[in-house]
Amino acid sequence: MYVILVYDIGERRVTKMLKLCRQYLNWIQNSVFEGEITEVKLKELLSVAKKIMKEEEDSVIIFKSRDEKWLEKEIIGIEKKQSGYYYLGILVVECGKMSQ
């Protein structure tokens, strides 16, 4: 499945959450991650995230889709570089290949 994960975490826990999420997903903006992930890996990520966060103060929001192709993504301004992928509007360029 394809997910977009967004978190709002207390300042003291941000670094731990950032490192955790980067192990599973692509970091696209401060506190925002996206990528393909299995249900098992997502449960694993969330299990560790719950240990890092204080549920009475922090939040994690996950948007799920069966496939990235069902989402239209538009970037205004600069986007963080992702390993192997560069997003230009909704055009995806990977290692010299182009698809829409």
Side-chain angles (χ1 to χ4, degrees):
M1 86 179 85
Y2 179 80
V3 300
I4 297 172
L5 182 145
V6 181
Y7 64 75
D8 185 7
I9 301 291
E11 191 175 330
R12 292 183 177 175
R13 297 176 293 283
V14 167
T15 302
K16 286 182 182 180
M17 188 64 78
L18 171 66
K19 288 179 181 179
L20 171 67
C21 292
R22 288 181 91 173
Q23 293 175 17
Y24 294 87
L25 299 166
N26 299 310
W27 184 35
I28 60 170
Q29 198 169 47
N30 293 340
S31 303
V32 182
F33 297 80
E34 69 175 359
E36 291 289 332
I37 191 169
T38 65
E39 190 71 39
V40 170
K41 289 291 184 183
L42 180 59
K43 286 181 182 178
E44 185 179 291
L45 185 160
L46 294 176
S47 174
V48 178
K50 287 178 182 179
K51 293 175 185 174
I52 294 171
M53 62 190 290
K54 292 185 177 180
E55 291 189 42
E56 63 279 358
E57 297 176 21
D58 305 329
S59 64
V60 173
I61 300 170
I62 300 162
F63 300 92
K64 300 179 185 179
S65 177
R66 279 178 259 152
D67 196 308
E68 181 181 4
K69 69 182 179 185
W70 299 110
L71 298 175
E72 182 175 324
K73 180 172 156 182
E74 182 177 344
I75 307 328
I76 299 171
I78 190 165
E79 182 178 28
K80 292 186 185 294
K81 178 182 171 188
Q82 299 179 28
S83 58
Y85 295 90
Y86 301 88
Y87 291 87
L88 309 170
I90 60 169
L91 178 68
V92 178
V93 180
E94 175 193 11
C95 301
K97 301 176 194 171
M98 293 190 352
S99 63
Q100 283 189 313

PDB file of all heavy atoms in Angstrom, residues 1-29:
ATOM      1  N   MET A   1       0.842  -1.169   0.000  1.00  0.00           N
ATOM      2  CA  MET A   1       0.000   0.000   0.000  1.00  0.00           C
ATOM      3  C   MET A   1       0.890   1.236   0.000  1.00  0.00           C
ATOM      4  O   MET A   1       2.050   1.174   0.395  1.00  0.00           O
ATOM      5  CB  MET A   1      -0.943  -0.010   1.190  1.00  0.00           C
ATOM      6  CG  MET A   1      -0.370   0.580   2.456  1.00  0.00           C
ATOM      7  SD  MET A   1      -1.492   0.581   3.850  1.00  0.00           S
ATOM      8  CE  MET A   1      -1.183  -1.065   4.433  1.00  0.00           C
ATOM      9  N   TYR A   2       0.331   2.340  -0.414  1.00  0.00           N
ATOM     10  CA  TYR A   2       1.036   3.616  -0.445  1.00  0.00           C
ATOM     11  C   TYR A   2       0.499   4.464   0.693  1.00  0.00           C
ATOM     12  O   TYR A   2      -0.715   4.541   0.893  1.00  0.00           O
ATOM     13  CB  TYR A   2       0.795   4.310  -1.784  1.00  0.00           C
ATOM     14  CG  TYR A   2       1.469   5.639  -1.897  1.00  0.00           C
ATOM     15  CD1 TYR A   2       2.821   5.727  -2.201  1.00  0.00           C
ATOM     16  CD2 TYR A   2       0.766   6.816  -1.678  1.00  0.00           C
ATOM     17  CE1 TYR A   2       3.453   6.952  -2.295  1.00  0.00           C
ATOM     18  CE2 TYR A   2       1.388   8.045  -1.767  1.00  0.00           C
ATOM     19  CZ  TYR A   2       2.733   8.111  -2.075  1.00  0.00           C
ATOM     20  OH  TYR A   2       3.360   9.320  -2.164  1.00  0.00           O
ATOM     21  N   VAL A   3       1.393   5.066   1.490  1.00  0.00           N
ATOM     22  CA  VAL A   3       0.943   5.892   2.611  1.00  0.00           C
ATOM     23  C   VAL A   3       1.632   7.244   2.615  1.00  0.00           C
ATOM     24  O   VAL A   3       2.739   7.397   2.106  1.00  0.00           O
ATOM     25  CB  VAL A   3       1.179   5.211   3.985  1.00  0.00           C
ATOM     26  CG1 VAL A   3       0.450   3.896   4.091  1.00  0.00           C
ATOM     27  CG2 VAL A   3       2.653   5.044   4.278  1.00  0.00           C
ATOM     28  N   ILE A   4       0.948   8.195   3.195  1.00  0.00           N
ATOM     29  CA  ILE A   4       1.528   9.486   3.556  1.00  0.00           C
ATOM     30  C   ILE A   4       1.374   9.562   5.069  1.00  0.00           C
ATOM     31  O   ILE A   4       0.270   9.395   5.599  1.00  0.00           O
ATOM     32  CB  ILE A   4       0.795  10.661   2.877  1.00  0.00           C
ATOM     33  CG1 ILE A   4       0.946  10.559   1.366  1.00  0.00           C
ATOM     34  CG2 ILE A   4       1.344  11.993   3.399  1.00  0.00           C
ATOM     35  CD1 ILE A   4       0.096  11.551   0.598  1.00  0.00           C
ATOM     36  N   LEU A   5       2.487   9.753   5.758  1.00  0.00           N
ATOM     37  CA  LEU A   5       2.495   9.819   7.207  1.00  0.00           C
ATOM     38  C   LEU A   5       2.917  11.221   7.629  1.00  0.00           C
ATOM     39  O   LEU A   5       3.907  11.750   7.124  1.00  0.00           O
ATOM     40  CB  LEU A   5       3.472   8.779   7.779  1.00  0.00           C
ATOM     41  CG  LEU A   5       3.556   8.688   9.298  1.00  0.00           C
ATOM     42  CD1 LEU A   5       3.783   7.251   9.719  1.00  0.00           C
ATOM     43  CD2 LEU A   5       4.632   9.579   9.876  1.00  0.00           C
ATOM     44  N   VAL A   6       2.152  11.804   8.546  1.00  0.00           N
ATOM     45  CA  VAL A   6       2.421  13.142   9.058  1.00  0.00           C
ATOM     46  C   VAL A   6       2.429  13.055  10.577  1.00  0.00           C
ATOM     47  O   VAL A   6       1.559  12.408  11.163  1.00  0.00           O
ATOM     48  CB  VAL A   6       1.307  14.128   8.616  1.00  0.00           C
ATOM     49  CG1 VAL A   6       1.577  15.519   9.123  1.00  0.00           C
ATOM     50  CG2 VAL A   6       1.140  14.122   7.107  1.00  0.00           C
ATOM     51  N   TYR A   7       3.411  13.683  11.202  1.00  0.00           N
ATOM     52  CA  TYR A   7       3.401  13.684  12.657  1.00  0.00           C
ATOM     53  C   TYR A   7       3.580  15.074  13.238  1.00  0.00           C
ATOM     54  O   TYR A   7       4.147  15.955  12.617  1.00  0.00           O
ATOM     55  CB  TYR A   7       4.435  12.715  13.250  1.00  0.00           C
ATOM     56  CG  TYR A   7       5.885  13.032  12.959  1.00  0.00           C
ATOM     57  CD1 TYR A   7       6.549  14.074  13.604  1.00  0.00           C
ATOM     58  CD2 TYR A   7       6.609  12.262  12.065  1.00  0.00           C
ATOM     59  CE1 TYR A   7       7.882  14.339  13.352  1.00  0.00           C
ATOM     60  CE2 TYR A   7       7.949  12.527  11.810  1.00  0.00           C
ATOM     61  CZ  TYR A   7       8.574  13.560  12.475  1.00  0.00           C
ATOM     62  OH  TYR A   7       9.899  13.827  12.225  1.00  0.00           O
ATOM     63  N   ASP A   8       3.066  15.233  14.445  1.00  0.00           N
ATOM     64  CA  ASP A   8       3.249  16.447  15.238  1.00  0.00           C
ATOM     65  C   ASP A   8       3.698  15.949  16.611  1.00  0.00           C
ATOM     66  O   ASP A   8       2.890  15.445  17.391  1.00  0.00           O
ATOM     67  CB  ASP A   8       1.937  17.231  15.326  1.00  0.00           C
ATOM     68  CG  ASP A   8       2.100  18.566  16.040  1.00  0.00           C
ATOM     69  OD1 ASP A   8       3.248  18.950  16.346  1.00  0.00           O
ATOM     70  OD2 ASP A   8       1.079  19.211  16.306  1.00  0.00           O
ATOM     71  N   ILE A   9       4.998  16.037  16.853  1.00  0.00           N
ATOM     72  CA  ILE A   9       5.628  15.414  18.016  1.00  0.00           C
ATOM     73  C   ILE A   9       6.351  16.483  18.830  1.00  0.00           C
ATOM     74  O   ILE A   9       6.926  17.411  18.262  1.00  0.00           O
ATOM     75  CB  ILE A   9       6.663  14.350  17.550  1.00  0.00           C
ATOM     76  CG1 ILE A   9       6.008  13.271  16.693  1.00  0.00           C
ATOM     77  CG2 ILE A   9       7.404  13.725  18.718  1.00  0.00           C
ATOM     78  CD1 ILE A   9       5.079  12.349  17.419  1.00  0.00           C
ATOM     79  N   GLY A  10       6.351  16.321  20.136  1.00  0.00           N
ATOM     80  CA  GLY A  10       7.076  17.240  21.008  1.00  0.00           C
ATOM     81  C   GLY A  10       8.543  17.331  20.616  1.00  0.00           C
ATOM     82  O   GLY A  10       9.151  16.356  20.173  1.00  0.00           O
ATOM     83  N   GLU A  11       9.109  18.501  20.783  1.00  0.00           N
ATOM     84  CA  GLU A  11      10.467  18.804  20.329  1.00  0.00           C
ATOM     85  C   GLU A  11      11.511  17.789  20.801  1.00  0.00           C
ATOM     86  O   GLU A  11      12.409  17.423  20.048  1.00  0.00           O
ATOM     87  CB  GLU A  11      10.856  20.206  20.826  1.00  0.00           C
ATOM     88  CG  GLU A  11      12.115  20.744  20.218  1.00  0.00           C
ATOM     89  CD  GLU A  11      12.378  22.178  20.649  1.00  0.00           C
ATOM     90  OE1 GLU A  11      11.421  22.927  20.920  1.00  0.00           O
ATOM     91  OE2 GLU A  11      13.567  22.527  20.729  1.00  0.00           O
ATOM     92  N   ARG A  12      11.386  17.299  22.002  1.00  0.00           N
ATOM     93  CA  ARG A  12      12.368  16.345  22.553  1.00  0.00           C
ATOM     94  C   ARG A  12      12.311  14.980  21.877  1.00  0.00           C
ATOM     95  O   ARG A  12      13.266  14.211  21.948  1.00  0.00           O
ATOM     96  CB  ARG A  12      12.162  16.167  24.048  1.00  0.00           C
ATOM     97  CG  ARG A  12      12.510  17.404  24.827  1.00  0.00           C
ATOM     98  CD  ARG A  12      12.371  17.159  26.293  1.00  0.00           C
ATOM     99  NE  ARG A  12      12.774  18.355  27.034  1.00  0.00           N
ATOM    100  CZ  ARG A  12      12.669  18.482  28.331  1.00  0.00           C
ATOM    101  NH1 ARG A  12      12.179  17.492  29.045  1.00  0.00           N
ATOM    102  NH2 ARG A  12      13.044  19.590  28.910  1.00  0.00           N
ATOM    103  N   ARG A  13      11.198  14.663  21.212  1.00  0.00           N
ATOM    104  CA  ARG A  13      11.020  13.353  20.582  1.00  0.00           C
ATOM    105  C   ARG A  13      11.134  13.384  19.059  1.00  0.00           C
ATOM    106  O   ARG A  13      11.113  12.357  18.408  1.00  0.00           O
ATOM    107  CB  ARG A  13       9.662  12.777  21.008  1.00  0.00           C
ATOM    108  CG  ARG A  13       9.584  12.524  22.500  1.00  0.00           C
ATOM    109  CD  ARG A  13       8.216  12.048  22.937  1.00  0.00           C
ATOM    110  NE  ARG A  13       7.167  13.053  22.786  1.00  0.00           N
ATOM    111  CZ  ARG A  13       6.963  14.087  23.602  1.00  0.00           C
ATOM    112  NH1 ARG A  13       7.745  14.268  24.633  1.00  0.00           N
ATOM    113  NH2 ARG A  13       5.982  14.936  23.400  1.00  0.00           N
ATOM    114  N   VAL A  14      11.263  14.570  18.485  1.00  0.00           N
ATOM    115  CA  VAL A  14      11.263  14.717  17.024  1.00  0.00           C
ATOM    116  C   VAL A  14      12.378  13.911  16.362  1.00  0.00           C
ATOM    117  O   VAL A  14      12.147  13.214  15.371  1.00  0.00           O
ATOM    118  CB  VAL A  14      11.355  16.208  16.615  1.00  0.00           C
ATOM    119  CG1 VAL A  14      11.670  16.358  15.137  1.00  0.00           C
ATOM    120  CG2 VAL A  14      10.058  16.912  16.931  1.00  0.00           C
ATOM    121  N   THR A  15      13.588  13.983  16.877  1.00  0.00           N
ATOM    122  CA  THR A  15      14.725  13.297  16.245  1.00  0.00           C
ATOM    123  C   THR A  15      14.511  11.787  16.210  1.00  0.00           C
ATOM    124  O   THR A  15      14.778  11.145  15.197  1.00  0.00           O
ATOM    125  CB  THR A  15      16.040  13.642  16.972  1.00  0.00           C
ATOM    126  OG1 THR A  15      16.213  15.061  16.949  1.00  0.00           O
ATOM    127  CG2 THR A  15      17.227  12.981  16.304  1.00  0.00           C
ATOM    128  N   LYS A  16      14.006  11.224  17.299  1.00  0.00           N
ATOM    129  CA  LYS A  16      13.748   9.777  17.332  1.00  0.00           C
ATOM    130  C   LYS A  16      12.686   9.390  16.306  1.00  0.00           C
ATOM    131  O   LYS A  16      12.810   8.386  15.607  1.00  0.00           O
ATOM    132  CB  LYS A  16      13.299   9.333  18.724  1.00  0.00           C
ATOM    133  CG  LYS A  16      14.412   9.297  19.736  1.00  0.00           C
ATOM    134  CD  LYS A  16      13.896   8.796  21.069  1.00  0.00           C
ATOM    135  CE  LYS A  16      15.001   8.796  22.101  1.00  0.00           C
ATOM    136  NZ  LYS A  16      14.529   8.321  23.397  1.00  0.00           N
ATOM    137  N   MET A  17      11.622  10.200  16.219  1.00  0.00           N
ATOM    138  CA  MET A  17      10.548   9.896  15.274  1.00  0.00           C
ATOM    139  C   MET A  17      11.030  10.045  13.834  1.00  0.00           C
ATOM    140  O   MET A  17      10.697   9.221  12.980  1.00  0.00           O
ATOM    141  CB  MET A  17       9.341  10.801  15.531  1.00  0.00           C
ATOM    142  CG  MET A  17       8.118  10.424  14.722  1.00  0.00           C
ATOM    143  SD  MET A  17       7.443   8.796  15.125  1.00  0.00           S
ATOM    144  CE  MET A  17       6.579   9.156  16.637  1.00  0.00           C
ATOM    145  N   LEU A  18      11.830  11.064  13.567  1.00  0.00           N
ATOM    146  CA  LEU A  18      12.396  11.268  12.234  1.00  0.00           C
ATOM    147  C   LEU A  18      13.227  10.057  11.815  1.00  0.00           C
ATOM    148  O   LEU A  18      13.052   9.517  10.724  1.00  0.00           O
ATOM    149  CB  LEU A  18      13.247  12.535  12.207  1.00  0.00           C
ATOM    150  CG  LEU A  18      14.074  12.786  10.947  1.00  0.00           C
ATOM    151  CD1 LEU A  18      13.173  13.031   9.745  1.00  0.00           C
ATOM    152  CD2 LEU A  18      15.021  13.958  11.154  1.00  0.00           C
ATOM    153  N   LYS A  19      14.124   9.614  12.693  1.00  0.00           N
ATOM    154  CA  LYS A  19      14.977   8.455  12.381  1.00  0.00           C
ATOM    155  C   LYS A  19      14.147   7.198  12.150  1.00  0.00           C
ATOM    156  O   LYS A  19      14.438   6.416  11.249  1.00  0.00           O
ATOM    157  CB  LYS A  19      15.992   8.230  13.498  1.00  0.00           C
ATOM    158  CG  LYS A  19      17.074   9.279  13.535  1.00  0.00           C
ATOM    159  CD  LYS A  19      18.044   9.029  14.678  1.00  0.00           C
ATOM    160  CE  LYS A  19      19.123  10.100  14.716  1.00  0.00           C
ATOM    161  NZ  LYS A  19      20.060   9.892  15.834  1.00  0.00           N
ATOM    162  N   LEU A  20      13.118   7.006  12.948  1.00  0.00           N
ATOM    163  CA  LEU A  20      12.242   5.844  12.786  1.00  0.00           C
ATOM    164  C   LEU A  20      11.546   5.870  11.434  1.00  0.00           C
ATOM    165  O   LEU A  20      11.597   4.894  10.674  1.00  0.00           O
ATOM    166  CB  LEU A  20      11.199   5.797  13.907  1.00  0.00           C
ATOM    167  CG  LEU A  20      10.105   4.748  13.721  1.00  0.00           C
ATOM    168  CD1 LEU A  20      10.685   3.340  13.823  1.00  0.00           C
ATOM    169  CD2 LEU A  20       8.987   4.963  14.733  1.00  0.00           C
ATOM    170  N   CYS A  21      10.889   6.968  11.122  1.00  0.00           N
ATOM    171  CA  CYS A  21      10.117   7.054   9.879  1.00  0.00           C
ATOM    172  C   CYS A  21      11.004   6.933   8.645  1.00  0.00           C
ATOM    173  O   CYS A  21      10.595   6.344   7.641  1.00  0.00           O
ATOM    174  CB  CYS A  21       9.314   8.352   9.845  1.00  0.00           C
ATOM    175  SG  CYS A  21       7.995   8.399  11.077  1.00  0.00           S
ATOM    176  N   ARG A  22      12.221   7.446   8.709  1.00  0.00           N
ATOM    177  CA  ARG A  22      13.144   7.358   7.570  1.00  0.00           C
ATOM    178  C   ARG A  22      13.575   5.918   7.290  1.00  0.00           C
ATOM    179  O   ARG A  22      14.013   5.609   6.194  1.00  0.00           O
ATOM    180  CB  ARG A  22      14.364   8.239   7.798  1.00  0.00           C
ATOM    181  CG  ARG A  22      14.024   9.713   7.678  1.00  0.00           C
ATOM    182  CD  ARG A  22      15.208  10.582   7.885  1.00  0.00           C
ATOM    183  NE  ARG A  22      15.853  10.832   6.591  1.00  0.00           N
ATOM    184  CZ  ARG A  22      16.850  11.673   6.427  1.00  0.00           C
ATOM    185  NH1 ARG A  22      17.348  12.322   7.460  1.00  0.00           N
ATOM    186  NH2 ARG A  22      17.362  11.863   5.236  1.00  0.00           N
ATOM    187  N   GLN A  23      13.442   5.036   8.269  1.00  0.00           N
ATOM    188  CA  GLN A  23      13.757   3.621   8.057  1.00  0.00           C
ATOM    189  C   GLN A  23      12.704   2.928   7.181  1.00  0.00           C
ATOM    190  O   GLN A  23      12.991   1.894   6.576  1.00  0.00           O
ATOM    191  CB  GLN A  23      13.847   2.887   9.393  1.00  0.00           C
ATOM    192  CG  GLN A  23      15.011   3.305  10.246  1.00  0.00           C
ATOM    193  CD  GLN A  23      14.990   2.639  11.612  1.00  0.00           C
ATOM    194  OE1 GLN A  23      14.294   1.638  11.824  1.00  0.00           O
ATOM    195  NE2 GLN A  23      15.734   3.184  12.542  1.00  0.00           N
ATOM    196  N   TYR A  24      11.509   3.494   7.122  1.00  0.00           N
ATOM    197  CA  TYR A  24      10.394   2.845   6.431  1.00  0.00           C
ATOM    198  C   TYR A  24       9.884   3.612   5.211  1.00  0.00           C
ATOM    199  O   TYR A  24       9.355   2.996   4.285  1.00  0.00           O
ATOM    200  CB  TYR A  24       9.218   2.662   7.405  1.00  0.00           C
ATOM    201  CG  TYR A  24       9.500   1.707   8.524  1.00  0.00           C
ATOM    202  CD1 TYR A  24      10.101   2.139   9.708  1.00  0.00           C
ATOM    203  CD2 TYR A  24       9.176   0.361   8.414  1.00  0.00           C
ATOM    204  CE1 TYR A  24      10.350   1.255  10.747  1.00  0.00           C
ATOM    205  CE2 TYR A  24       9.426  -0.531   9.442  1.00  0.00           C
ATOM    206  CZ  TYR A  24      10.019  -0.079  10.607  1.00  0.00           C
ATOM    207  OH  TYR A  24      10.269  -0.964  11.621  1.00  0.00           O
ATOM    208  N   LEU A  25       9.997   4.945   5.245  1.00  0.00           N
ATOM    209  CA  LEU A  25       9.375   5.780   4.215  1.00  0.00           C
ATOM    210  C   LEU A  25      10.337   6.854   3.735  1.00  0.00           C
ATOM    211  O   LEU A  25      11.397   7.054   4.326  1.00  0.00           O
ATOM    212  CB  LEU A  25       8.106   6.436   4.780  1.00  0.00           C
ATOM    213  CG  LEU A  25       7.008   5.476   5.249  1.00  0.00           C
ATOM    214  CD1 LEU A  25       5.964   6.209   6.085  1.00  0.00           C
ATOM    215  CD2 LEU A  25       6.368   4.785   4.066  1.00  0.00           C
ATOM    216  N   ASN A  26       9.960   7.547   2.676  1.00  0.00           N
ATOM    217  CA  ASN A  26      10.759   8.648   2.127  1.00  0.00           C
ATOM    218  C   ASN A  26      10.370   9.948   2.805  1.00  0.00           C
ATOM    219  O   ASN A  26       9.191  10.298   2.856  1.00  0.00           O
ATOM    220  CB  ASN A  26      10.518   8.786   0.620  1.00  0.00           C
ATOM    221  CG  ASN A  26      10.909   7.543  -0.125  1.00  0.00           C
ATOM    222  OD1 ASN A  26      11.993   7.023   0.044  1.00  0.00           O
ATOM    223  ND2 ASN A  26      10.011   7.048  -0.952  1.00  0.00           N
ATOM    224  N   TRP A  27      11.361  10.667   3.287  1.00  0.00           N
ATOM    225  CA  TRP A  27      11.146  11.959   3.944  1.00  0.00           C
ATOM    226  C   TRP A  27      10.944  13.002   2.864  1.00  0.00           C
ATOM    227  O   TRP A  27      11.828  13.245   2.051  1.00  0.00           O
ATOM    228  CB  TRP A  27      12.358  12.284   4.805  1.00  0.00           C
ATOM    229  CG  TRP A  27      12.275  13.530   5.616  1.00  0.00           C
ATOM    230  CD1 TRP A  27      11.165  14.060   6.212  1.00  0.00           C
ATOM    231  CD2 TRP A  27      13.359  14.397   5.962  1.00  0.00           C
ATOM    232  NE1 TRP A  27      11.486  15.196   6.910  1.00  0.00           N
ATOM    233  CE2 TRP A  27      12.839  15.434   6.775  1.00  0.00           C
ATOM    234  CE3 TRP A  27      14.710  14.403   5.678  1.00  0.00           C
ATOM    235  CZ2 TRP A  27      13.626  16.442   7.283  1.00  0.00           C
ATOM    236  CZ3 TRP A  27      15.488  15.420   6.201  1.00  0.00           C
ATOM    237  CH2 TRP A  27      14.947  16.422   6.992  1.00  0.00           C
ATOM    238  N   ILE A  28       9.778  13.629   2.802  1.00  0.00           N
ATOM    239  CA  ILE A  28       9.506  14.595   1.737  1.00  0.00           C
ATOM    240  C   ILE A  28       9.418  16.029   2.226  1.00  0.00           C
ATOM    241  O   ILE A  28       9.543  16.966   1.435  1.00  0.00           O
ATOM    242  CB  ILE A  28       8.239  14.243   0.928  1.00  0.00           C
ATOM    243  CG1 ILE A  28       6.998  14.207   1.803  1.00  0.00           C
ATOM    244  CG2 ILE A  28       8.433  12.945   0.184  1.00  0.00           C
ATOM    245  CD1 ILE A  28       5.707  14.115   1.022  1.00  0.00           C
ATOM    246  N   GLN A  29       9.182  16.216   3.509  1.00  0.00           N
ATOM    247  CA  GLN A  29       9.097  17.561   4.075  1.00  0.00           C
ATOM    248  C   GLN A  29       9.138  17.396   5.590  1.00  0.00           C
ATOM    249  O   GLN A  29       8.898  16.297   6.106  1.00  0.00           O
ATOM    250  CB  GLN A  29       7.789  18.231   3.636  1.00  0.00           C
ATOM    251  CG  GLN A  29       7.795  19.724   3.784  1.00  0.00           C
ATOM    252  CD  GLN A  29       6.606  20.343   3.087  1.00  0.00           C
ATOM    253  OE1 GLN A  29       5.488  19.888   3.248  1.00  0.00           O
ATOM    254  NE2 GLN A  29       6.849  21.384   2.323  1.00  0.00           N
TER     255      GLN A  29
END
